Amino acid sequence: MSPLSDLFARSVKARAIGYLFASGAVVGLISLALPHHPGVKEGPLIGVALTAFAVGAAAYWWAPRMAEWHLHAMVVVGALMLTLANYWFGPSALYPVMFSWAVLYAFYVFDLRQAM
């Protein structure tokens, strides 16, 4: 067993996606604190950010007990949450870029067929 094999342990993968959810929530809340278009729907975006914090905390807390399918489901949930955030924030260059986090995570932790 190589020292790098610990990087691919399921608990490390779960904590990593937990950090991604939490950091996405922070970025979302900061984007609401900064000046933005008045048409932005702040209430739903705050709800998405709080949900992302909760999902991230759950991923971190239950990391040792997470199954592989949980990680797949969390990537899907993250993509759905980003889709909603894009819809409620409106045209912006910020939230679409955050989709790259989900893609990078998927290609890092899943094999090529699963990531595709």
Side-chain angles (χ1 to χ4, degrees):
M1 185 167 184
S2 75
L4 293 178
S5 63
D6 290 342
L7 291 176
F8 296 99
R10 202 171 22 243
S11 63
V12 173
K13 295 177 189 180
R15 285 192 178 98
I17 201 164
Y19 290 136
L20 286 174
F21 270 91
S23 59
V26 168
V27 168
L29 291 175
I30 289 172
S31 72
L32 291 175
L34 297 173
H36 52 273
H37 190 273
V40 170
K41 295 178 177 61
E42 294 178 357
L45 285 170
I46 291 171
V48 168
L50 294 177
T51 303
F53 271 126
V55 171
Y60 187 83
W61 182 263
W62 285 298
R65 297 177 294 281
M66 287 198 126
E68 190 73 19
W69 72 267
H70 289 126
L71 301 174
H72 290 273
M74 290 183 74
V75 170
V76 171
V77 167
L80 291 173
M81 290 174 73
L82 283 169
T83 301
L84 290 172
N86 277 303
Y87 177 74
W88 287 320
F89 200 82
S92 167
L94 172 66
Y95 289 147
V97 171
M98 291 173 69
F99 277 107
S100 65
W101 293 4
V103 173
L104 288 173
Y105 177 84
F107 279 91
Y108 177 72
V109 303
F110 305 134
D111 64 27
L112 182 60
R113 185 175 81 43
Q114 292 174 333
M116 294 297 255

